[in-house]
Amino acid sequence: ILYKKYKMTITEMIRDLKIEPCQIGNPYINTYILSELQKVMKTECTMTHGHIINVAELKEILDNKIENSSSDIVLTVKFVVDMFKPVVGDVHPGTVIAQFTDGVLVELYGVQKLLIVAATIPEDKVVEVGDMVEVRITAVRYNDHAFSCIGVFV
């Protein structure tokens, strides 16, 4: 349901992933790889793709090699991710996480904060910390592996 109403991207990616040699022979190796991908990719934010919200599926192990310095196994894996890239004009759900005299801070998908400036909030709009709201992004800037966003309530 979330993907039909709001603009999220589902895409395939290919990355190298290091695993310890003791994982070879693990009958749940695919589950382990997916778990490790979640840990590594959850913090990734790029200007091109935006934030990785979730690693949804491990598609394929394309290659493997042994790293010379640590003897770790390096796997080249193909996987599917859910991504969110802030785009001006898009509407998204969020949670109010803070209120200030200058505005309201809303968190989108647990990865992106958006500021709603007090001057743009209608006088009859009352929100409390923890409220679920819909917001429209009005400005976006990318700097140092992070997006800064400004928006308005829908």
Side-chain angles (χ1 to χ4, degrees):
I1 296 171
L2 181 70
Y3 303 104
K4 292 179 183 173
K5 185 173 181 183
Y6 302 107
K7 292 184 180 180
M8 300 274 291
T9 304
I10 300 171
T11 191
E12 284 187 354
M13 297 183 84
I14 296 174
R15 287 285 198 294
D16 285 345
L17 178 70
K18 244 191 256 191
I19 64 169
E20 297 173 355
C22 65
Q23 293 301 323
I24 299 302
N26 178 347
Y28 305 105
I29 188 74
N30 287 351
T31 303
Y32 175 79
I33 291 169
L34 189 61
S35 170
E36 290 301 300
L37 281 170
Q38 287 278 13
K39 290 177 196 171
V40 171
M41 301 305 290
K42 276 275 194 167
T43 59
E44 185 168 306
C45 179
T46 66
M47 186 173 191
T48 306
H49 295 105
H51 297 280
I52 294 180
I53 303 296
N54 181 43
V55 179
E57 178 186 359
L58 174 64
K59 294 289 268 188
E60 187 178 357
I61 299 171
L62 301 171
D63 195 13
N64 63 75
K65 56 189 170 220
I66 299 174
E67 191 174 65
N68 290 336
S69 60
S70 67
S71 296
D72 283 344
I73 310 292
V74 180
L75 302 175
T76 303
V77 294
K78 182 191 288 188
F79 52 99
V80 176
V81 295
D82 302 327
M83 304 177 91
F84 163 64
K85 182 178 180 182
V87 175
V88 171
D90 284 359
V91 174
H92 295 280
T95 304
V96 176
I97 59 170
Q99 289 183 307
F100 309 99
T101 54
D102 294 333
V104 174
L105 199 59
V106 176
E107 187 172 63
L108 308 176
Y109 306 109
V111 295
Q112 178 65 55
K113 291 176 180 54
L114 176 137
L115 175 65
I116 298 177
V117 180
T120 65
I121 301 172
E123 288 184 25
D124 62 337
K125 182 76 169 176
V126 177
V127 293
E128 301 290 331
V129 173
D131 286 355
M132 295 294 295
V133 295
E134 277 192 324
V135 296
R136 176 175 289 111
I137 299 171
T138 58
V140 175
R141 185 176 74 196
Y142 182 81
N143 187 28
D144 196 27
H145 304 288
F147 287 95
S148 298
C149 297
I150 296 176
V152 295
F153 288 117
V154 176

